[in-house]
Amino acid sequence: MNNKIQTLTVLFLAGALFLVSCSGKVNRPTTEIEEVPLKHTALWQDTSVLGYIPVAIWEDTLFLRANTTPVYEMCQLSGDTITKTAAFIRIGDGPYDLSDPYVFFISKENRKLYVGDWRSRKLIGIPFPLSSHVPVTDSWERISCPHGERNFLLAYGDEVSYALSDSTFLILGGEIPKTWGGTYEGPENFLSLAHIGEELMPVGGLAYPDSGKVNIPVMLKRLVYNDTSLLKQPGNNRFALVGRNMGNYLILFSLSGRQAKDIRILRDEYPRYEMDDTGFDIRYDHQQKNGYAAQATSRYIYLLESPFSTVAEQLQAKDYKGYPADSRDKLLVYDWEGNLVASYKLDIPVTAFLVADDDSAIYASVANLEKGQDEIIKFQLQED
C-alpha cells in the first residue's frame, strides 16, 4: 500500500476520498441475520483468461482485467460457461491506448462503458450495445477532462467516479490546496462534480471524521480516505461510501445539486492514523479493523468482510484456509434503506467479486492452487 503523497497533474477520474457529514446520524443495524452457506460452482472458461480479475458485469457480459496488454477481456456468460469474445484497451500512446487503465465502470443511465487513464488524462466512453461497440473503436468517444492545468490527489481503483449525465461526473476528490503546491483556495471538499470541458466544482455536505489528532493537514486526510469505495445505486440518486483497506465504515447519501443530502451512517469505525515525523506522510494503527471489498446493484450493497479481526493479523498471516491471506469468505448484504438483509458464508475464500444485475448470482475470482492462477467461480444466490 503506497502512502506517498503525489502532487500530479489532474487526471480526470481521480480524487481523494471523503467521508462523513457532520450532520449525518449514526444508524447502526441491530437485526441479527442468520448466516447462510453458499456453495460455489466451477465454471468452464478459456485458459487465456486464467489470472484475470472480474471488474464489471452487464447482463450476460462479464469484463475481466489482466496485468498484460490488451488489458481487458469481454466475455459471454452462458450457464456455467465463460467464453471470451473480445480483448480491448492496449497499453500505449495511441488515441485509444491507456498508460494506467484503472478506471472502469458502466453507466446504466448513460448506457455507456467508461474506461479511464489517470497518467495521460484520458477518459473513453463506449456506447451500448457493448457486444458490437467494444471490439471496434469507430464509435468510441474521447472525453475531455476539466482543469488539465491543475492538480489534485489521486485515488486508486475502479470505484472512484460515476457518470451523472453525458457531461457531468461525480468524482471522489478535490484539488490540492495552495499551501501544498496546488491552486485551490476554497473550503475542504471531498466530492467534486466534473463538468466536461468546464469546471471542477466542489460538493458540500460531507466532512472528514475527527481523527482525534491535532493539526492534521487536509492533504494527509485525503490520503487516508483515498481508501474508500464510492458505489452508486443504478437508476437512482443514491450512493454509498465503504472503507476499503482500513476502517469499518458504511455511509449512504443522496446528491442534490452540489450538496450531499439524506446522509445515513451505518458503520462508523473510521481509520486510525497520525502524521509521521516528516509531516508529509502518515502512520496507520494496524490494530484496527480491515475494510471491505464492495459491490452494489439496484437493490443491494454487498460487503465482503475480512476474516481477520485487525489489519496487523492479516499482514502477519501467511494464508487463509490455504488460500492467499487477502482471500475472504463472509458476505454481508444491505438494502439501500440501510437494513442488513443477508449474511452469507462462502464455501471457498475469494479475492474479488461481482454481483449479477438481478442479484441472482455472484461471480468471484479464487486462487487455483494447482494452476497457480486465479479463476472465476460462481455462487448462485437464493431467490427471494
Side-chain angles (χ1 to χ4, degrees):
M1 186 184 306
N2 184 0
N3 291 331
K4 298 296 182 185
I5 288 194
Q6 304 175 53
T7 302
L8 302 175
T9 304
V10 66
L11 315 167
F12 168 53
L13 293 177
L17 294 194
F18 57 82
L19 262 216
V20 124
S21 168
C22 295
S23 60
K25 295 182 178 179
V26 177
N27 186 4
R28 298 186 184 88
T30 56
T31 305
E32 293 293 330
I33 297 292
E34 181 181 357
E35 191 171 78
V36 176
L38 283 184
K39 190 172 183 178
H40 79 279
T41 299
L43 302 179
W44 184 92
Q45 53 207 278
D46 293 337
T47 56
S48 61
V49 300
L50 289 176
Y52 281 57
I53 301 298
V55 292
I57 188 170
W58 176 256
E59 296 179 342
D60 60 354
T61 302
L62 181 68
F63 292 92
L64 308 176
R65 176 192 284 126
N67 292 321
T68 59
T69 187
V71 179
Y72 297 104
E73 299 280 0
M74 182 171 69
C75 301
Q76 181 78 25
L77 291 169
S78 179
D80 295 335
T81 299
I82 301 174
T83 305
K84 184 173 95 171
T85 57
F88 63 110
I89 302 294
R90 303 189 69 82
I91 303 295
D93 299 322
Y96 296 107
D97 295 340
L98 300 175
S99 299
D100 191 19
Y102 270 87
V103 174
F104 194 103
F105 65 95
I106 293 173
S107 171
K108 179 179 180 180
E109 293 81 358
N110 287 10
R111 297 186 60 77
K112 285 182 182 177
L113 163 65
Y114 293 93
V115 187
D117 180 341
W118 294 327
R119 290 183 181 174
S120 56
R121 301 194 307 279
K122 287 183 181 178
L123 181 66
I124 297 169
I126 305 176
F128 286 15
L130 297 176
S131 58
S132 53
H133 290 302
V134 164
V136 293
T137 60
D138 294 353
S139 60
W140 292 16
E141 175 189 6
R142 289 194 52 185
I143 300 171
S144 301
C145 301
H147 283 337
E149 76 283 2
R150 298 193 185 181
N151 302 314
F152 64 86
L153 188 64
L154 295 181
Y156 198 70
D158 295 310
E159 296 86 22
V160 297
S161 58
Y162 278 93
L164 303 180
S165 70
D166 280 337
S167 60
T168 303
F169 291 76
L170 177 66
I171 68 173
L172 295 168
E175 296 178 56
I176 291 178
K178 204 167 186 179
T179 55
W180 283 69
T183 58
Y184 187 65
E185 296 184 279
E188 294 182 14
N189 68 295
F190 318 118
L191 275 172
S192 296
L193 289 178
H195 300 284
I196 299 306
E198 299 178 13
E199 294 293 317
L200 189 68
M201 304 297 294
V203 173
L206 291 162
Y208 289 122
D210 183 5
S211 67
K213 307 292 183 180
V214 297
N215 299 324
I216 300 291
V218 174
M219 290 306 296
L220 294 188
K221 295 177 183 178
R222 287 184 178 178
L223 182 62
V224 170
Y225 287 104
N226 272 356
D227 238 358
T228 301
S229 294
L230 169 65
L231 306 176
K232 185 180 186 298
Q233 183 181 21
N236 288 287
N237 178 35
R238 198 69 175 152
F239 300 85
L241 293 171
V242 183
R244 280 199 283 204
N245 288 310
M246 298 278 181
N248 171 21
Y249 53 91
L250 171 59
I251 301 161
L252 307 182
F253 69 96
S254 299
L255 190 65
S256 177
R258 290 166 47 195
Q259 194 77 11
K261 300 282 189 179
D262 304 321
I263 299 164
R264 298 187 65 184
I265 304 168
L266 305 181
R267 291 171 176 259
D268 64 346
E269 295 179 44
Y270 303 115
R272 299 197 300 268
Y273 61 96
E274 63 183 5
M275 183 168 59
D276 72 1
D277 296 336
T278 70
F280 291 95
D281 211 340
I282 53 177
R283 285 191 293 260
Y284 284 105
D285 177 0
H286 285 170
Q287 298 304 317
Q288 62 185 305
K289 187 173 174 59
N290 288 278
Y292 302 90
Q295 294 292 331
T297 65
S298 60
R299 298 172 67 192
Y300 302 119
I301 301 163
Y302 294 80
L303 306 181
L304 189 60
E305 186 175 61
S306 171
F308 300 101
S309 59
T310 66
V311 174
E313 285 186 17
Q314 179 172 322
L315 292 174
Q316 294 166 6
K318 294 182 179 179
D319 61 68
Y320 175 60
K321 296 184 176 180
Y323 291 86
D326 61 348
S327 301
R328 303 175 175 203
D329 57 6
K330 182 174 182 178
L331 189 66
L332 303 175
V333 185
Y334 289 82
D335 64 21
W336 282 95
E337 297 300 315
N339 302 304
L340 180 62
V341 296
S343 176
Y344 296 111
K345 188 70 171 181
L346 310 182
D347 69 337
I348 186 171
V350 303
T351 54
F353 77 105
L354 298 171
V355 185
D357 303 323
D358 60 0
D359 301 283
S360 62
I362 294 168
Y363 295 90
S365 59
V366 60
N368 185 312
L369 303 180
E370 294 181 358
K371 298 176 182 178
Q373 292 179 301
D374 284 359
E375 62 182 8
I376 308 300
I377 59 175
K378 175 182 176 182
F379 295 91
Q380 194 71 40
L381 293 174
Q382 296 181 354
E383 298 291 337
D384 290 342

